[in-house]
Amino acid sequence: MTKQDQIYMQAAIALAKQAAENGEVPVGAIVVKDGEIIGRGSNAPIGLHDPSAHAEILAMREAASNIGNYRLVDCTLYVTLEPCAMCSGAIQHARIANLIYGASDPKTGACGSVINLMTEEKLNHHTTVKSGVLAEEAGQILSNFFRQRRLNKKP
C-alpha cells in the first residue's frame, strides 16, 4: 500500500462518513486521473430515490462529466467497500484501469468475495484490482453504522 493510496482512500472514507450522516450506507468513492481527483461520490440511493446511486456510480458520473468522456481510461477508482456486480460492470464499461478498495464485502462483493467479474475471461475489459487499503478503518465505519441502526430499531 502506497502513501498515495492511503491519501486517496482517506478522501473516500471522508465521503463514506458523509453518506452515514445522510442516513445512507457509508460508502465513498473517488476517481483519480493524473494525480487529480476528478470525481467524487457517496452512497445516495435513499436520498436520490435511485437504486443505481452507489458511490462508485456517482463518482464515475462526475468524473466522466468533468473530462467530457464516458470512457475513464487511465483512471483509478478508490472505494471504501468492494464493489457489487452493478458497480463492477459499470467500472468495466467505463474502462477504469485500476480499482483500489478497502473492506471486502462477503455478501455482495463482485471483485472476489462472492464472484469476480474483474477476472472473467469472457469480458473484454479487465480492471486491475488492489484490495485491503485501509480496510480496517473502512470496515469499522460500516460496522458502526449497522450497529447503530440495529440499536435504533430495538423497542
Side-chain angles (χ1 to χ4, degrees), residues 27 29 43 51-58 60 77 79 81-94 96 99 108 110-111 117-118 127:
V27 179
N43 261 7
S52 71
H54 288 196
E56 301 94 310
I57 301 290
L58 297 176
M60 289 187 292
L77 175 68
V79 61
L81 181 66
E82 179 182 359
C84 68
M86 174 183 69
C87 293
S88 293
I91 289 164
Q92 290 175 317
H93 282 289
I96 293 280
L99 166 67
T108 63
C111 300
L117 293 177
M118 297 303 175
T127 298

Side-chain angles (χ1 to χ4, degrees), residues 90-151:
I91 289 164
Q92 290 175 317
H93 282 289
R95 303 297 192 261
I96 293 280
N98 303 293
L99 166 67
I100 299 173
Y101 70 85
S104 294
D105 186 346
K107 294 184 179 181
T108 63
C111 300
S113 290
V114 176
I115 58 173
N116 195 342
L117 293 177
M118 297 303 175
T119 59
E120 175 54 52
E121 290 181 18
K122 294 177 185 174
L123 298 175
N124 68 332
H125 177 75
H126 297 99
T127 298
T128 301
V129 178
K130 182 192 297 186
S131 62
V133 175
L134 300 183
E136 188 173 325
E137 185 175 350
Q140 193 62 53
I141 294 165
L142 286 155
S143 295
N144 292 345
F145 177 81
F146 286 112
R147 183 179 310 109
Q148 191 60 47
R149 279 180 100 177
R150 286 189 299 276
L151 289 174

Side-chain angles (χ1 to χ4, degrees), residues 18-80:
Q18 189 176 70
E21 290 172 12
N22 293 331
E24 304 276 359
V25 174
V27 179
I30 63 166
V31 177
V32 176
K33 182 175 177 76
D34 299 327
E36 180 184 344
I37 297 173
I38 61 169
R40 293 174 174 81
S42 58
N43 261 7
I46 297 167
L48 293 177
H49 310 290
D50 179 355
S52 71
H54 288 196
E56 301 94 310
I57 301 290
L58 297 176
M60 289 187 292
R61 283 179 185 160
E62 183 176 283
S65 178
N66 283 337
I67 66 168
N69 192 337
Y70 74 106
R71 296 285 195 215
L72 299 172
V73 178
D74 298 326
C75 290
T76 299
L77 175 68
Y78 289 83
V79 61
T80 58

